[in-house]
Amino acid sequence: AQTVTQSQPEMSVQEAETVTLSCTYDTSESDYYLFWYKQPPSRQMILVIRQEAYKQQNATENRFSVNFQKAAKSFSLKISDSQLGDAAMYFCACAYDSNYQLIWGAGTKLIIKP
Amino acid sequence: KAGVTQTPRYLIKTRGQQVTLSCSPISGHRSVSWYQQTPGQGLQFLFEYFSETQRNKGNFPGRFSGRQFSNSRSEMNVSTLELGDSALYLCASTLGGYTDTQYFGPGTRLTVL
């Protein structure tokens, strides 16, 4: 079975510091896409970052970057200079070539301490 | 461009009743996915529609059904409601590919009493 695992149910970080959220996935597929989505409290889920597995270069979006280790099947999200507005649930997800759906992790709740 | 809209936003029903939720995707998006989100189970995939055809279905009982219309709007129906159906129901649309970015609606909060 294809799975996505987020081993940290909750993380906290001081404002302005850096935090890394972990995600591992399990697949035998060769072609897939990885995502991090953010769900702020009582607000809509939005995409943070998207990575195509065939691309070696790690995706980056402003303060958000990923560390994609294909061999280790790891896709962690690094948030630099954390801000209060980054407080949210973060979900890792994977889309496989053979599936018409995303496989989702259980989520990590990120708390930002002022 | 308008985002994904879901109606109603909140719903209270009693056990045994049925409910229909609606989702209007972003204009031009042909794929709509539905999810059930609960605190204990996280995000669970219900089904995905593309051009009025269901392409995939999650592991939910037959009480959960859906459809998509020619304008890409989608509805999901839950019959014979159970207490455990209380959840936030999210829909998301994409241009067409499941590997594309999904754009989510605000969700419908369903409470079953």
Side-chain angles (χ1 to χ4, degrees), chain B residues 32-95:
Chain B
V32 173
S33 297
W34 286 90
Y35 298 92
Q36 181 194 67
Q37 186 176 24
T38 58
Q41 296 293 317
L43 218 63
Q44 302 292 316
F45 172 74
L46 281 155
F47 24 68
E48 188 260 0
Y49 287 88
F50 178 81
S51 291
E52 302 179 68
T53 300
Q54 185 182 89
R55 291 199 293 194
N56 202 355
K57 187 177 191 304
N59 190 24
F60 276 81
R63 301 185 297 108
F64 291 81
S65 62
R67 58 178 175 168
Q68 187 180 34
F69 302 95
S70 59
N71 62 357
S72 293
R73 189 177 71 84
S74 178
E75 287 181 349
M76 67 162 280
N77 184 276
V78 188
S79 62
T80 319
L81 284 166
E82 301 177 359
L83 295 178
D85 297 333
S86 294
L88 181 66
Y89 290 87
L90 297 171
C91 96
S93 72
T94 73
L95 272 171

